[in-house]
Amino acid sequence: MTDPYVLNLEEVDETRVAVVGGKGAHLGGLSRIEGIRVPDGFCVTTDAFRRAMAEVPSLDDRLDELSRLDPDDREAIRMLSAHMRRIIEEVAVPGDVTAAITRALGRFGGQGAYAVRSSATAEDLPTASFAGQQDTYLNVLGPTAVLQHISRCWASMFTERAVVYRQRNGIDHRTVDMAVVVQRMVFPDASGILFTADPVTGSRKVATVDAGFGLGEALVSGLVNPDVFTVRDGEVVARTIAAKERAVHALPAGGTREVAVDVRQRERPALTDEQAVRLVGLGRRIEAHFGCPQDIEWCLVDDGFRIVQSRPITTLFPLPALANGDSENHVYVSVGHQQMMTDAMKPLGFSMWQLTAMVPMHEAGGRLFVDVTRRLASPASRDGLLDVLGKGDPLVRDALETVLGHGGFVPSLPDPVPGGPPSTGSPAPIETDPAVVTELIERSRASIAALERDIRAKEGPALFEFLLEAFEEHKRVLGDPLSMQAIMAGMDATWWLNDKLWEWLGEKNAADTLTLSAPDNITSEMGLALLDVADVIRPLPEVLAFLRDVEHLEDATFLDELAKTAGGGEARDAIEAYLDRYGMRCVGEIDITRPRWRERPTTLVPVILDNVRSFGPGAAGRRFEQGRQKARQKEQDVLSRLRALPDGDRKADETHRMIDRVRTFIGYREYPKYGIVSRYFVYKQALLAEAERLVRDNVLPEKEDAFYLTFQELHEAVRSNRADEQLIQRRKEAFRSYRALTPPRVLTSDGEALTGAYRRDDVPAGALTGLPVSAGTVEGRARVILDMAEADLEAGDILVTVFTDPSWSPLFVGIAGLVTEVGGLMTHGAVIAREYGLPAVVGVDRATRLIRDGQRIRVHGTDGYVELLP
């Protein structure tokens, strides 16, 4: 009969995390891999932990108190967690648990030396490493000391760092149990850490070995600099041998201590090249067994390696899945950096985008990527791709050029690849006629109206069949040749104006002013329309009082409760009209699972109140007219100066035609996205109705669980009336881990993650470099805002954020400038910044971390940098 409190390592594997914790499960799995030697030992199970915790007085009360603490209240956490550790350590290990542990120790020689390691059930998992969150004790001698240190491991569940880690990652303290691993102690000549992927570049083809003398704690604690071996394709390609002055050795009476390394040995390598290569070979076996790159702790004993720990490297960005047998190199470009939504998407969200996209897209880390390998392989398509992407975001181009600089990674294909990007050498062949835009908008509206009409009668599996057909119509509208010509006409005219007016007049980014208040821009109209809503609400004191209590408002009843206040009916009608036109929008709107404004209308309340406070009646009309006048004046100024140049009449006539062209088409640049999101809201409402039926039928616990299934999986759940709850739970855990990752602009199949760099020497020292997308210079208070719903802006503030999609445009009417970490010349934030005349710099790496909230900054929107002021 299996002992409930003790299991030998060979009895467990990675499926037993709930019983022996992540570390124990991994060690058990390691012990089963051919050629991998793991020190003998056993696991004290989570049953033993729960049995012991039942003896701890008032533990439930302390857990309740702990869960209520703010993770930023470090002092309160420090005091309470110290108290909890103290009471756990003081409680005697229950007799039956003690007996089981003593019997296990007897099998290995009870008076030997042991390593006692904590093993939490939320530790060393693919989605959360918890590295260093609990404790390890080395060279523990005898049963009494082992029992004492097991109690300490249990208590380490409540170290301050472990408590904060769980709270910051949304992990309930009650859902985590602690097992303990007890292993025979090994006394190594050398030890260290092996990463089976490069932890800096992300490359899965490169392994790094950190090595030092004695026990590995000297490296882990930072006591010494390690020797570092870089291994690729079975050979050491780089090595750094450190002067290792200190080492950690075991003491005869138990425990460890630091010792000085003999002067003659300090610069001797801890490993030979042959040993480093052999160790990486063992690491590759371990990696293959666990299915992902590993962070491995190893010891060298008598020229043989012992593995004492292995955990996933959770900081690496995941790779797109390759087809079986595909061993070719691939280069992927981030979709999120083009769409201004670099957050992780839930499975229903990214699968819907894949089904409605114009090109194949590959998922990794909850983000989507496009494989551009074949376009890069041919000189003709390569130049076009780099030109288009570089104009939009120079960092993407730089990252791709870095990959191309890795000789031979991208294959060479001499023949042009069909279907390359459109040429940008001249404007698209389309007449400058506003009727073209009017026709395109009407086509889109008619298509959406037909979708809304036809979907009403669809439910169950028939709905999904209908949606697959609707997706084809979606792509047809999106790929309408006339629509593509109109978009390119506006973009090409912008580039033409900027290039030629710089060449002829020495004026940077002249198109920024020439496009102010361009017609038919649905996104800029959305921001101005909320000013009109503020005009309705401003003279209604009871409505204002109601809205200022927004924290207590429920989205489901918000509009009905609003109507009960004096003047509330008028206010509700204004908000309803706004939601009818724009309610399908939200932050991160390319992910269908994100809550729309129509679903969460209180999101708009802070912005409405800001507009009431910062603007007077009629502000929307005045702002639009002011922009139009500025653009008109700029046009007259430019044409006048051109006519004074040699061959000036020709230059002025060409420029005039291009100004007409850009003002005709640049506003339409925003409409296709509006059409996509409008269709998405229709899809979402229909799919949520199916999810609600699955909840009624007890297939799903709650309707939002459907978001963790792909479209195809949800279709199958509706067809079969069954859903895989374990799959949904795994997806939730994965999504939580993906949210913590920063996606690269470019990713290779080797795992190299590249963000690109600006190759500029014209930026002042200390300034932050970015891409200039809207001309002008402004100085003001930086407001670092990561969530639009928490925006608290005053006139003259400069918005600093990670990215802005169209849903952020209502904030633009009240700010003086814009800085984002993600963006390009033609992305939505840049277009709207130009529409509103806001100096803007985008693509500023780590802007939200390098700029403090409230700090004064100066944004150079013409030259593309941000100064941090004292």
Side-chain angles (χ1 to χ4, degrees):
M1 178 178 173
T2 303
D3 192 313
Y5 299 136
V6 170
L7 290 172
N8 287 338
L9 281 177
E10 59 265 26
E11 295 181 83
V12 301
D13 60 19
E14 51 271 33
T15 67
R16 306 294 299 278
V17 171
V19 179
V20 296
K23 191 175 299 174
H26 269 71
L27 284 168
L30 283 165
S31 68
R32 295 164 180 257
I33 305 173
E34 184 178 354
I36 303 300
R37 300 175 67 184
V38 175
D40 291 335
F42 60 90
C43 299
V44 182
T45 67
T46 53
D47 280 345
F49 171 73
R50 288 190 291 270
R51 171 78 175 82
M53 290 308 100
E55 306 290 325
V56 178
S58 306
L59 182 63
D60 279 346
D61 293 342
R62 300 288 81 79
L63 285 171
D64 288 342
E65 189 178 345
L66 193 63
S67 66
R68 290 193 293 268
L69 293 179
D70 187 313
D72 292 324
D73 190 349
R74 300 301 290 270
E75 183 59 29
I77 290 174
R78 185 178 299 115
M79 293 178 63
L80 183 55
S81 59
H83 174 68
M84 296 178 74
R85 291 196 304 276
R86 189 164 55 250
I87 61 175
I88 291 171
E89 289 182 23
E90 289 173 354
V91 170
V93 178
D96 48 353
V97 176
T98 297
I101 294 169
T102 304
R103 284 195 301 271
L105 287 170
R107 292 196 295 272
F108 295 104
Q111 298 303 317
Y114 294 89
V116 182
R117 305 173 186 273
S118 63
S119 180
T121 55
E123 182 179 32
D124 293 350
L125 307 179
T127 56
S129 79
F130 273 64
Q133 299 306 312
Q134 282 88 34
D135 291 342
T136 290
Y137 302 95
L138 300 178
N139 198 31
V140 179
L141 303 181
T144 300
V146 169
L147 285 166
Q148 180 184 30
H149 285 84
I150 287 171
S151 288
R152 289 181 178 176
C153 283
W154 287 338
S156 75
M157 265 281 291
F158 299 103
T159 61
E160 180 188 347
R161 63 185 182 273
V163 168
V164 171
Y165 188 97
R166 288 195 294 271
Q167 288 185 306
R168 291 196 186 284
N169 285 274
I171 299 171
D172 186 341
H173 302 296
R174 296 177 189 275
T175 64
V176 181
D177 290 324
M178 178 68 78
V180 180
V181 178
V182 180
Q183 289 177 280
R184 291 296 300 266
M185 186 71 189
V186 294
F187 303 98
D189 304 313
S191 59
I193 301 167
L194 161 64
F195 294 98
T196 63
D198 189 318
V200 177
T201 68
S203 175
R204 271 60 163 182
K205 295 292 182 68
V206 173
T208 61
V209 178
D210 290 2
F213 296 130
L215 293 167
E217 273 52 38
L219 301 187
V220 174
S221 65
L223 180 64
V224 298
N225 291 323
D227 296 341
V228 181
F229 299 84
T230 303
V231 179
R232 184 181 181 115
D233 296 330
E235 64 176 310
V236 174
V237 295
R239 72 181 64 73
T240 301
I241 307 303
K244 299 170 286 295
E245 298 182 0
R246 311 288 292 173
V248 173
H249 283 207
L251 292 171
T256 62
R257 72 170 181 183
E258 297 175 20
V259 298
V261 176
D262 188 304
V263 173
R264 293 166 296 181
Q265 299 294 319
R266 288 179 180 175
E267 296 191 12
R268 179 175 68 83
L271 294 178
T272 65
D273 282 7
E274 184 275 331
Q275 288 171 328
V277 170
R278 180 152 49 96
L279 176 61
V280 170
L282 296 176
R284 293 295 180 214
R285 290 190 194 181
I286 295 170
E287 179 183 67
H289 176 83
F290 290 118
C292 62
Q294 297 287 302
D295 165 358
I296 299 167
E297 293 183 24
W298 56 269
C299 295
L300 178 65
V301 184
D302 299 329
D303 200 40
F305 288 103
R306 307 290 192 278
I307 305 302
V308 296
Q309 190 166 328
S310 184
R311 65 170 70 90
I313 308 176
T314 58
T315 56
L316 296 176
F317 200 85
L319 299 180
L322 293 174
N324 288 336
D326 184 348
S327 59
E328 295 183 2
N329 293 338
H330 294 268
V331 183
Y332 305 96
V333 170
S334 164
V335 173
H337 285 80
Q338 313 301 313
Q339 290 294 333
M340 295 300 94
M341 214 296 276
T342 55
D343 292 347
M345 299 170 70
K346 293 172 185 169
L348 186 62
F350 66 68
S351 66
M352 291 284 285
W353 195 261
Q354 287 173 311
L355 287 166
T356 53
M358 302 300 292
V359 295
M361 293 185 177
H362 308 268
E363 182 270 337
R367 280 79 169 188
L368 291 172
F369 294 83
V370 173
D371 188 341
V372 296
T373 315
R374 293 191 64 81
R375 287 189 178 186
L376 290 175
S378 162
S381 59
R382 178 193 311 143
D383 291 345
L385 180 71
L386 293 175
D387 183 51
V388 169
L389 293 179
K391 283 179 176 177
D393 184 346
L395 293 178
V396 172
R397 177 173 186 144
D398 181 80
L400 289 173
E401 288 176 336
T402 299
V403 175
L404 290 168
H406 299 340
F409 184 83
V410 177
S412 179
L413 297 175
D415 297 326
V417 178
S423 168
T424 58
S426 60
I430 184 176
E431 291 185 17
T432 304
D433 183 357
V436 171
V437 173
T438 303
E439 178 185 349
L440 287 168
I441 291 173
E442 185 50 42
R443 285 187 194 177
S444 177
R445 287 175 177 166
S447 177
I448 293 167
L451 172 66
E452 291 173 331
R453 181 190 66 241
D454 296 342
I455 204 170
R456 290 187 191 123
K458 307 298 182 183
E459 60 181 22
L463 169 68
F464 290 82
E465 298 301 329
F466 170 81
L467 284 174
L468 290 172
E469 295 176 7
F471 296 162
E472 294 307 309
E473 168 66 6
H474 180 122
K475 289 190 281 189
R476 188 197 65 75
V477 172
L478 197 59
D480 184 337
L482 186 63
S483 178
M484 299 300 292
Q485 287 176 317
I487 292 170
M488 288 309 302
M491 293 170 68
D492 280 339
T494 299
W495 292 327
W496 189 96
L497 287 166
N498 281 336
D499 290 346
K500 292 300 184 182
L501 296 181
W502 169 247
E503 176 188 344
W504 293 338
L505 299 177
E507 185 163 341
K508 290 183 179 179
N509 303 324
D512 293 358
T513 306
L514 293 167
T515 54
L516 288 172
S517 297
D520 298 312
N521 188 317
I522 190 72
T523 307
S524 64
E525 290 170 4
M526 179 172 67
L528 296 176
L530 207 56
L531 288 175
D532 292 334
V533 174
D535 285 353
V536 173
I537 290 171
R538 189 177 292 106
L540 304 172
E542 289 197 26
V543 169
L544 288 170
F546 176 82
L547 295 180
R548 288 181 182 125
D549 199 22
V550 65
E551 291 182 0
H552 303 290
L553 303 181
E554 296 289 336
D555 284 294
T557 59
F558 164 60
L559 291 171
D560 289 338
E561 292 298 318
L562 172 63
K564 296 176 183 177
T565 63
E570 187 181 358
R572 181 186 62 180
D573 290 347
I575 295 174
E576 281 278 15
Y578 186 86
L579 292 173
D580 286 345
R581 185 151 172 77
Y582 304 110
M584 75 294 292
R585 311 219 83 148
C586 67
V587 173
E589 60 193 11
I590 71 169
D591 182 353
I592 197 173
T593 72
R594 293 288 191 99
R596 310 285 135 173
W597 289 343
R598 171 55 80 180
E599 298 168 312
R600 198 169 288 177
T602 57
T603 304
L604 296 171
V605 172
V607 189
I608 293 171
L609 291 174
D610 284 345
N611 288 348
V612 168
R613 183 178 65 244
S614 301
F615 297 94
R622 285 196 306 275
R623 285 179 66 95
F624 187 83
E625 184 57 27
Q626 286 166 1
R628 200 179 66 82
Q629 290 297 334
K630 283 183 182 178
R632 179 64 178 163
Q633 290 164 9
K634 184 68 173 179
E635 177 181 1
Q636 292 172 345
D637 172 63
V638 163
L639 296 178
S640 175
R641 290 160 60 197
L642 286 173
R643 288 195 175 94
L645 298 176
D647 198 20
D649 287 343
R650 178 188 62 81
K651 292 173 180 174
D653 288 345
E654 286 186 17
T655 301
H656 189 221
R657 285 197 298 273
M658 285 300 175
I659 292 172
D660 284 347
R661 194 167 182 79
V662 78
R663 291 193 66 80
T664 296
F665 293 115
I666 200 63
Y668 178 72
R669 165 74 177 80
E670 292 293 295
Y671 202 87
K673 181 71 167 288
Y674 175 78
I676 291 171
V677 177
S678 297
R679 299 179 73 90
Y680 263 36
F681 191 43
V682 179
Y683 304 153
K684 181 179 185 178
Q685 290 172 303
L687 291 173
L688 278 179
E690 294 300 314
E692 288 167 351
R693 184 187 61 76
L694 292 175
V695 172
R696 290 195 299 273
D697 291 349
N698 297 314
V699 176
L700 294 177
E702 52 188 36
K703 65 181 180 181
E704 287 79 10
D705 285 347
F707 296 160
Y708 296 93
L709 299 173
T710 65
F711 177 85
Q712 297 86 345
E713 291 164 348
L714 182 57
H715 185 181
E716 176 58 23
V718 168
R719 188 197 64 77
S720 65
N721 222 35
R722 290 195 302 270
D724 186 338
E725 290 186 21
Q726 291 185 337
L727 172 66
I728 291 171
Q729 186 57 40
R730 289 197 303 272
R731 294 274 178 76
K732 288 180 178 180
E733 293 170 359
F735 177 71
R736 187 179 67 221
S737 71
Y738 294 158
R739 290 175 67 184
L741 298 176
T742 300
R745 284 175 167 82
V746 171
L747 183 66
T748 74
S749 51
D750 277 4
E752 190 172 6
L754 301 105
T755 57
Y758 294 103
R759 313 294 176 177
R760 294 174 56 184
D761 55 10
D762 60 343
V763 173
L768 307 180
T769 307
L771 177 66
V773 296
S774 186
T777 300
V778 66
E779 180 179 321
R781 180 180 68 157
R783 294 310 315 270
V784 180
I785 296 173
L786 303 180
D787 183 348
M788 176 183 160
E790 297 176 2
D792 181 15
L793 296 162
E794 295 180 4
D797 283 347
I798 297 169
L799 173 61
V800 180
T801 190
V802 178
F803 61 80
T804 63
D805 60 13
S807 71
W808 288 71
S809 65
L811 294 182
F812 284 26
V813 299
I815 60 175
L818 174 69
V819 179
T820 68
E821 294 181 357
V822 178
L825 189 62
M826 284 298 172
T827 49
H828 303 279
V831 171
I832 304 308
R834 290 193 291 272
E835 275 281 315
Y836 289 164
L838 302 175
V841 180
V842 302
V844 180
D845 187 38
R846 296 177 297 143
T848 59
R849 283 167 278 181
L850 297 174
I851 299 173
R852 300 189 315 274
D853 186 45
Q855 181 176 17
R856 290 197 68 79
I857 62 175
R858 186 179 296 124
V859 178
H860 294 262
T862 304
D863 295 311
Y865 62 91
V866 181
E867 289 183 279
L868 309 181
L869 304 178

